Amino acid sequence: MIPDLPADIDTIKGFLASDEAEALYRHARASRPKGPVLEVGSYCGKSTIYLGLACRDGGTVYALDHHRGSEEHQAGEMFHDPELYDTGEGLVDTFSEFRRNIRRAGLDDVVVPVVSSSAVVARHWQTPLGMVFIDGGHSLDAALTDYRCWTAHLVQGGILAIHDLFPDPHSGGQAPWAIYRMALESGLFEAVERVNTLGVLRRL
């Protein structure tokens, strides 16, 4: 049971299964003493809430997202949501929904929104991280950028979690699986567990 979980958590837009959410909460809570949590790809904040609750009494979550949607969220694509489309700008905009959900969960003092891309934010990043959760763009270029930008900032014993792992290409995109395999083959990480499509590794 996760304390203070919002009653409407299942209505928040997102693509996170309940067993994956519980695993994120558990690992964020355990990693919190090692350093802040950094989430890459917050969308409307569903996963951010689980991470934020895990850090509520002594940690910080940096929620990094440009809030313009991934490739699959754009107009005409499979996961496009018209409710998250700013017709005036002609762009996806998830930031208002994200902020609203974080505020309703009472996590404004725990979650720090970072509205930009990995490449821009990582350029001068210096804070060691206790956990990194990668759930951003699912093109190979985007996934590789997220992996290369943030894994170097994980402390020894820190957790790397990667969402949407599909070993079978018929089941889903292969970019997250590619960086998961890259992490294992680097010799810098060991596998901790797999929960549904979430892979969890530890920095050696």
Side-chain angles (χ1 to χ4, degrees):
M1 178 64 101
I2 298 175
D4 301 320
L5 190 65
D8 65 347
I9 189 69
D10 291 332
T11 69
I12 294 175
K13 297 176 187 292
F15 309 94
L16 191 70
S18 58
D19 54 352
E20 298 168 341
E22 290 166 7
L24 282 180
Y25 174 87
R26 178 164 38 86
H27 285 289
R29 191 160 182 81
S31 301
R32 177 181 72 183
K34 297 182 175 70
V37 174
L38 180 107
E39 172 185 57
V40 184
S42 302
Y43 195 49
C44 294
K46 190 169 192 173
S47 56
T48 322
I49 288 172
Y50 284 93
L51 296 171
L53 290 174
C55 295
R56 193 171 207 169
D57 51 355
T60 298
V61 178
Y62 292 100
L64 170 61
D65 197 312
H66 49 57
H67 288 286
R68 293 305 189 186
S70 299
E71 300 84 356
E72 63 271 20
H73 299 143
Q74 303 309 311
E77 299 299 324
M78 182 181 297
F79 294 104
H80 178 66
D81 185 341
E83 293 181 358
L84 299 174
Y85 190 73
D86 184 332
T87 54
E89 293 289 333
L91 294 167
V92 172
D93 186 354
T94 58
F95 189 49
S96 295
E97 187 79 6
F98 169 85
R99 287 301 299 265
R100 186 179 303 113
N101 290 330
I102 296 304
R103 177 179 52 79
R104 286 176 176 170
L107 294 172
D108 279 335
D109 293 335
V110 180
V111 173
V112 180
V114 183
V115 185
S116 191
S117 66
S118 276
V120 172
V121 176
R123 199 178 294 155
H124 299 292
W125 188 273
Q126 297 183 16
T127 304
L129 299 168
M131 178 174 173
V132 170
F133 173 45
I134 296 179
D135 191 20
H138 285 11
S139 70
L140 185 58
D141 182 62
L144 284 171
T145 297
D146 292 339
Y147 175 81
R148 289 168 175 161
C149 282
W150 299 112
T151 53
H153 296 287
L154 269 172
V155 300
Q156 186 175 15
I159 290 294
L160 172 63
I162 302 173
H163 194 220
D164 289 332
L165 299 184
F166 296 103
D168 181 355
H170 295 99
S171 300
Q174 293 297 285
W177 180 245
I179 62 170
Y180 176 82
R181 294 300 309 170
M182 183 181 296
L184 283 177
E185 291 165 7
S186 72
L188 298 174
F189 293 90
E190 64 178 359
V192 175
E193 66 173 335
R194 293 267 302 280
V195 178
N196 203 333
T197 73
L198 180 72
V200 180
L201 307 101
R202 181 178 291 109
R203 180 74 187 257
L204 297 172

